[in-house]
Amino acid sequence: MPRDESKLLFAPTHEWADITEVGGDKIATIGISAFAMDQLNDLVYMDLPEVGRVVNAGDELGEVESVKAVSPIYSPVSGEVIEVHAELPDNLERLNIEPYEFGWMVKVKVSGDGGIDALLDLAAYQKQCSESA
């Protein structure tokens, strides 16, 4: 089933989070937004964290390198990395086409509120993007 962009939450740094409940735990599936992909253009390299890494909202999770620049990827939530999309770094061209489907990067088991309340809904995120364009 396709991920509904209107249900995603966004960090001001252009990462998205899809928060789901699994067995009483909140799991955040995280990626970078279509807006960020448009800004980055052609990606040539991606570095993702190891499973088991504990992150706080705002911590650097990894980085992406495009023909234009190297950009950090920040965690929009706090918690433990429980899964990494291992196929993604070898298929970066699909990230431009499917940023919210194939383009997920990591899954984080959220600790506490995990910073979820600080994230933006789609309308607020689109407003931020239009103001920075």
Side-chain angles (χ1 to χ4, degrees):
M1 184 161 121
R3 193 168 270 121
D4 183 352
E5 185 180 2
S6 70
K7 302 234 185 313
L8 301 178
L9 298 174
F10 295 86
T13 51
H14 306 292
E15 294 81 14
W16 58 263
D18 184 8
I19 311 294
T20 56
E21 291 263 344
V22 178
D25 292 321
K26 287 183 184 165
I27 306 298
T29 302
I30 297 168
I32 57 176
S33 72
F35 179 83
M37 289 305 305
D38 288 344
Q39 301 300 306
L40 289 168
N41 219 338
D42 294 326
L43 296 184
V44 294
Y45 176 77
M46 177 177 286
D47 182 43
L48 296 174
E50 298 287 323
V51 169
R53 180 164 165 211
V54 175
V55 294
N56 291 311
D59 284 357
E60 197 170 308
L61 267 179
E63 64 183 22
V64 291
E65 183 178 340
S66 72
V67 293
K68 291 182 177 182
V70 175
S71 301
I73 303 164
Y74 298 103
S75 181
V77 298
S78 299
E80 179 184 353
V81 176
I82 59 168
E83 190 175 344
V84 174
H85 190 177
E87 291 179 45
L88 188 57
D90 293 328
N91 295 281
L92 293 175
E93 69 285 350
R94 290 187 59 191
L95 191 53
N96 283 319
I97 301 163
E98 305 173 77
Y100 304 115
E101 294 304 322
F102 183 82
W104 71 273
M105 298 176 180
V106 298
K107 293 185 181 184
V108 172
K109 180 179 172 186
V110 179
S111 57
D113 81 350
I116 294 170
D117 293 342
L119 299 176
L120 307 170
D121 65 15
L122 180 60
Y125 177 69
Q126 287 175 328
K127 182 175 188 236
Q128 173 196 294
C129 291
S130 68
E131 290 171 353
S132 67

